[in-house]
Amino acid sequence: MTKVLFVGQKPDTVDFSDPALPPGFDAAKIQAGIDLAAVRIAEKGWHGDICMISPDDAGIEMLTAQLATTTYDCVIIGGGVRIPPKSLLLFEAVVNAVHKGAPGAAIAFNTRPEDTADAAARWIKGN
């Protein structure tokens, strides 16, 4: 079975005052997108894990522990981790954790939580 991991920032830890984020975003909207991503991953017949991390060392430790639980075919890194300029160090830490913990996995990037499954499908053979 194809296994994918969706990595993002815990919605309740996002700084919504950051002008780099789309206007009108809030934790509830992000969580709704994450929930929809989980549904769409399952609709493709894949095993999907969701790993929402805090933007600190504890978050990277959580991701590292999750990566050790299984072998993933693809890891999708969410826009909340990689788009805001102030998240650059978090993004680098996430990429390096994925590179080390899942060296055989494809890495994909979504544009919003709702297209997470589509991002993975670009890199998973047979989809």
Side-chain angles (χ1 to χ4, degrees), residues 1-5 46-49 70-75 124:
M1 173 178 271
T2 299
K3 296 179 182 177
V4 300
L5 176 64
W46 302 335
H47 171 87
D49 290 325
T70 192
T71 301
Y72 289 102
D73 298 290
C74 186
V75 177
I124 295 174

Side-chain angles (χ1 to χ4, degrees), residues 5 49-51 61-70 72:
L5 176 64
D49 290 325
I50 307 291
C51 186
E61 290 170 13
M62 180 181 176
L63 173 58
T64 299
Q66 181 65 46
L67 290 166
T69 66
T70 192
Y72 289 102

Side-chain angles (χ1 to χ4, degrees), residues 65-91:
Q66 181 65 46
L67 290 166
T69 66
T70 192
T71 301
Y72 289 102
D73 298 290
C74 186
V75 177
I76 307 97
I77 302 172
V81 170
R82 66 176 203 286
I83 293 173
K86 71 180 189 176
S87 294
L88 179 61
L89 293 177
L90 176 62
F91 177 50

Side-chain angles (χ1 to χ4, degrees), residues 2 4-7 37 40-41 44 46 73-79 82 106-125 127:
T2 299
V4 300
L5 176 64
F6 177 23
V7 180
R40 291 196 174 152
I41 288 168
K44 292 196 175 282
W46 302 335
D73 298 290
C74 186
V75 177
I76 307 97
I77 302 172
R82 66 176 203 286
I107 297 174
F109 304 106
N110 64 8
T111 60
R112 60 190 187 287
E114 298 85 358
D115 74 358
T116 298
D118 295 332
R122 292 192 296 263
W123 297 103
I124 295 174
K125 294 178 183 177
N127 290 292

